Amino acid sequence: MNPLPVEPAENDPLLPWLATCKQRLHALGLDGLLGALLDAAAPLAPLGAQLLYVAQPTLGLALSPRVISQLADVLEEPEGVAWLRWHLGLDEDQNES
């Protein structure tokens, strides 16, 4: 079950970027830490989205501006953190099946 009602389009760069992050986090054993951080920071997600918008010109040197914009858009949604957890493989529901 995908918690976000609107899924990014197939050609959007956010999903491949999240898949790469998922692989790297798992390889480093940091997926549990990220899950805890996302849980703790979930109420601040809209503020994080605004920070991404403000920092986009600088972050654009390292990441695609579309990825930054789409990530900020996801964080502005009420279920955005749950959607990120789902796509990063951090949901307990995913790990059980």
Side-chain angles (χ1 to χ4, degrees):
M1 175 185 120
N2 188 351
L4 197 65
V6 178
E7 182 75 22
E10 288 289 323
N11 60 351
D12 285 341
L14 181 60
L15 294 178
W17 182 77
L18 286 175
T20 302
C21 288
K22 177 181 176 179
Q23 291 172 349
R24 289 180 182 168
L25 288 168
H26 185 69
L28 294 172
L30 296 175
D31 35 5
L33 177 64
L34 180 62
L37 288 174
L38 282 174
D39 286 343
L44 301 174
L47 178 61
Q50 296 304 312
L51 290 173
L52 283 173
Y53 287 130
V54 170
Q56 188 172 8
T58 304
L59 291 174
L61 298 173
L63 293 172
S64 163
R66 286 184 62 202
V67 168
I68 298 166
S69 177
Q70 288 176 337
L71 186 57
D73 290 345
V74 166
L75 289 175
E76 285 185 333
E77 294 292 326
E79 296 296 323
V81 173
W83 186 89
L84 276 177
R85 288 182 60 82
W86 176 263
H87 282 281
L88 290 172
L90 303 175
D91 268 352
E92 285 108 26
D93 295 344
Q94 283 178 308
N95 297 330
E96 291 173 2
S97 49

